[in-house]
Amino acid sequence: MSKRTRAASLTTFVAASVAFGAVLAGPADATGKDTSASKHTSTNASAKVMKAKAKATKGKASAWPKFLSASQLPPHPSSSWTAGKVTDGVPDELRFCIQDTLPGYDSRYRDFRTDLETNAQQLTFVVGSSAKAKALATRLNKDIRACATRIEQSDPETEAALKDYGKLSVEEGAHAYGLHTETSWGATDINLYSVGRDGRAVTLVRWAQMGDFSDAPVKAFKKTTTTAVNKLY
């Protein structure tokens, strides 16, 4: 069976879930008076408003948490990592496990790829307060712990097992997991997940390739997670 046929099981589940699933104008001067002064004042006011908006937008962009770089992913034995652009939204590879938590949050993500089938994603949310971020992190951890059961309920031909790799001492905390899936036709895939938080920011990291728990670079993934959380702010 080709590698393409044995593509990551979660990608299949994602595809299945997707299938189901003013400018204000003032009155004209009726008296014919010179309006150049008022026009000049209006122009200055508009310029100030535009400048203020640009400054706010720039501040918002610079305040967004930083993402992992390709070199900070777990080293691959035969291929280097390539990092995609930071993009608004949620990557398809993560939707299946966390779809119940997604609505209503601003998020950005970055894809990572090797020349083979190993891939990774980092998804980051920024919410209104540290309390809301804590609640979001709690829900994401709950989603990941429940994902193996969701996979088996979604596809009777697939068996899934979760391993809890424990907490990581970084900023407001992080937690790492392993998720193995195996289909009735023999495709086997290993995924590593982690959720971490720093202030109002929550980040989720996923690493995946063909294999089982013995193929998971748990130590290196924990290091990647620690770096991801430290880079948020």
Side-chain angles (χ1 to χ4, degrees), residues 78-232:
S78 60
S79 175
S80 59
W81 285 95
T82 300
K85 294 181 179 179
V86 175
T87 306
D88 290 340
V90 179
D92 289 340
E93 291 89 345
L94 291 175
R95 287 185 177 276
F96 183 83
C97 283
I98 65 171
Q99 59 187 354
D100 292 342
T101 300
L102 289 178
Y105 293 102
D106 291 331
S107 63
R108 292 180 182 178
Y109 71 92
R110 191 173 206 179
D111 275 321
F112 302 88
R113 292 285 185 272
T114 65
D115 294 334
L116 302 177
E117 290 188 341
T118 307
N119 64 88
Q121 296 79 36
Q122 181 185 7
L123 170 66
T124 299
F125 301 87
V126 176
V127 297
S129 68
S130 293
K132 290 181 179 179
K134 182 178 181 180
L136 173 58
T138 297
R139 290 196 294 272
L140 289 172
N141 277 290
K142 182 178 180 180
D143 285 345
I144 293 171
R145 288 194 293 267
C147 194
T149 299
R150 173 177 285 187
I151 289 170
E152 292 185 338
Q153 290 174 343
S154 174
D155 185 0
E157 297 296 314
T158 300
E159 294 182 357
L162 182 81
K163 279 191 177 182
D164 188 330
Y165 291 123
K167 297 180 180 180
L168 304 179
S169 181
V170 53
E171 298 299 342
E172 271 77 45
H175 208 118
Y177 307 87
L179 178 64
H180 175 242
T181 58
E182 184 173 3
T183 67
S184 60
W185 58 89
T188 178
D189 299 283
I190 180 64
N191 297 262
L192 296 177
Y193 290 89
S194 62
V195 176
R197 183 173 71 88
D198 184 7
R200 299 186 300 112
V202 178
T203 195
L204 192 161
V205 182
R206 170 184 177 266
W207 171 98
Q209 72 172 30
M210 293 173 59
D212 55 29
F213 286 117
S214 65
D215 300 303
V218 178
K219 184 176 180 180
F221 182 73
K222 287 183 175 182
K223 182 178 180 181
T224 293
T225 297
T226 299
T227 300
V229 177
N230 276 326
K231 290 186 72 171
L232 291 175

Side-chain angles (χ1 to χ4, degrees), residues 1-9 117 183 185-189 210-211:
M1 184 176 292
S2 69
K3 288 186 176 181
R4 291 298 175 189
T5 304
R6 290 165 55 84
S9 299
E117 290 188 341
T183 67
W185 58 89
T188 178
D189 299 283
M210 293 173 59

